[in-house]
Amino acid sequence: MNQGPLVKGNPLRVSVYLLVIAYLFGEFLFPKYPLFHAINLIGVVGLIISLFFFFSGFNIFKSYDENPAPKSTTKKLIKTGIFAYTRNPIYLAFVLFHFSMFLTFENVMYFITSIGLSIWINNYVIKVEEQYLIKQFSEEYLGYMNSVKRWIFF
């Protein structure tokens, strides 16, 4: 039986756990750092954009009959829709959601978790998945890597 990438942890669960921890620590242990009202509104827009990235990526996975779980095997390389702009829209959504929560609710713990989550996802999830996909799709995936950025801008 073919085995998927050996990713340690589940990014969705880790993201949700970090949201809960950030809320508890940020609300009860750390002071708030007031931001300009316009920055709070930018945070709300970021939350909406992160939900768009998440559901766009998730729906494309489902339309291709693929499982979006990081440890699952894959038979098809998805390069359409939001995947034409970023190779990891769901992970980008997780990090953007945490950062937008910081901008919206002025809780510094959301900022810290967005940094930690991005480092963990980039080094311990995406790189493992990329090695699996290179092995699975070889030249096709390498061409995709060269034409589409990992996190939109880099």
Side-chain angles (χ1 to χ4, degrees), residues 109-120:
M109 285 303 296
Y110 291 124
F111 178 72
I112 293 169
T113 59
S114 71
I115 293 170
L117 186 63
S118 66
I119 292 169
W120 176 70

Side-chain angles (χ1 to χ4, degrees), residues 43-151:
V44 171
V45 171
L47 290 171
I48 293 167
I49 291 170
S50 70
L51 292 173
F52 170 77
F53 283 167
F54 177 81
F55 287 110
S56 293
F58 187 81
N59 288 336
I60 290 173
F61 265 106
K62 290 303 179 186
S63 70
Y64 277 75
D65 290 326
E66 291 286 334
N67 184 350
K71 294 181 182 182
S72 63
T73 59
T74 185
K75 299 175 287 301
K76 301 173 190 159
L77 183 59
I78 302 171
K79 300 187 285 187
T80 60
I82 192 77
F83 288 93
Y85 303 99
T86 174
R87 296 194 313 260
N88 303 287
I90 295 174
Y91 300 148
L92 178 61
F94 294 159
V95 173
L96 181 60
F97 192 87
H98 280 254
F99 184 71
S100 298
M101 290 290 285
F102 161 66
L103 295 177
T104 304
F105 297 108
E106 302 167 345
N107 177 339
V108 74
M109 285 303 296
Y110 291 124
F111 178 72
I112 293 169
T113 59
S114 71
I115 293 170
L117 186 63
S118 66
I119 292 169
W120 176 70
I121 286 175
N122 191 61
N123 293 318
Y124 299 103
V125 177
I126 292 175
K127 289 187 179 177
V128 173
E129 286 182 348
E130 285 178 345
Q131 292 306 312
Y132 168 79
L133 292 169
I134 289 169
K135 198 168 154 184
Q136 188 82 356
F137 299 105
S138 63
E139 293 301 319
E140 184 182 7
Y141 189 72
L142 290 171
Y144 177 61
M145 284 178 74
N146 289 331
S147 62
V148 177
K149 302 229 184 271
R150 184 182 286 161
W151 298 94

